[in-house]
Amino acid sequence: MLSSEQQAALASAICATAEALGQTISPTTARIFAQDLVKYPAEEIRSALLACRRTLTGRLTLAAIQQQLYELDGRPEPNEAWAIAVTAADEDNSVVLTEEILLALGAARPVLNAGDAVGARMAFLNAYQRLVADSRSQVAPVKWLLSQGHAADRRQTAISDAVRLGRIRPAIASRLALQLAHTPEPGGALMGPISASESSQSLPPIHVVRKPLEYLL
């Protein structure tokens, strides 16, 4: 939650961003924008305003700022999320996926098991978009989980791919690899979630889940 001083600074930054985009926002409107954004961390708002200055072609609106906040939160777009879910549905595969993907796959899995790939995709997308909207309304940070498959040779690949794609930090990947070395079989003890925003100096505990459906039960 932003303090009164931070809200005042944010209102000034909003006015400056609008000016950089060739428009004018009154101080009153800027304060209203700032009040509506108080639930977001200050650093994320600064990044969103920077993205607006760099990429926005239309007018600066509250919706435009919030869209940048959504794009910066690290959650995959729906079609990318479905591709991750399809990979995770194979019990041999290890996949790093978000909590929303995990839950949406659980909702779609009965349809997928029935052989209806198109229906499963629709069920997944509907559930995923609803879950993401709910998480964003609560300003919940993205949580990445490792769904640990049966094929041991694919686990490290999944972790390395997550680092390459910027989903988890290298230090967290190292800790996760160490944890897997101590719990080599799927179904190891559950701990806290991977968090892409955590620093390497204070690493969070990590969820290792055997497969998405088993985690949901």
Side-chain angles (χ1 to χ4, degrees), residues 88 91 102 105-106 109 147-150 186-188 190 208-217:
E91 293 191 357
L102 186 73
L105 178 57
R109 189 59 179 266
S147 172
Q148 186 184 356
H150 295 292
L190 293 182
V208 178
V209 298
R210 184 172 186 274
K211 289 307 296 178
L213 288 184
E214 296 183 17
Y215 174 70
L216 291 172
L217 293 175

Side-chain angles (χ1 to χ4, degrees), residues 57-139:
T57 57
R59 293 184 60 80
L60 181 68
T61 63
L62 179 62
I65 298 171
Q66 287 180 317
Q67 183 59 41
Q68 292 297 336
L69 286 165
Y70 295 159
E71 292 179 7
L72 292 168
D73 73 4
R75 290 180 171 86
E77 292 297 315
N79 287 330
E80 181 184 0
W82 170 242
I84 295 171
V86 169
T87 303
D90 183 336
E91 293 191 357
D92 284 336
N93 290 332
S94 292
V95 182
V96 174
L97 72 175
T98 68
E99 193 171 47
E100 292 91 1
I101 295 174
L102 186 73
L103 294 169
L105 178 57
R109 189 59 179 266
V111 185
L112 190 62
N113 287 345
D116 184 358
V118 174
R121 180 177 180 274
M122 292 179 62
F124 173 87
L125 293 178
N126 287 336
Y128 179 74
Q129 289 169 323
R130 183 175 64 253
L131 289 162
V132 167
D134 183 60
S135 294
R136 286 173 169 168
S137 71
Q138 299 178 44
V139 197

Side-chain angles (χ1 to χ4, degrees), residues 135-157:
S135 294
R136 286 173 169 168
S137 71
Q138 299 178 44
V139 197
V142 63
K143 295 178 182 178
W144 290 96
L145 315 171
L146 174 68
S147 172
Q148 186 184 356
H150 295 292
D153 59 336
R154 302 182 191 178
R155 295 170 195 159
Q156 186 55 52
T157 299

Side-chain angles (χ1 to χ4, degrees), residues 190-201:
L190 293 182
M191 297 190 289
I194 299 169
S195 171
S197 62
E198 292 288 339
S199 70
S200 59
Q201 287 74 27

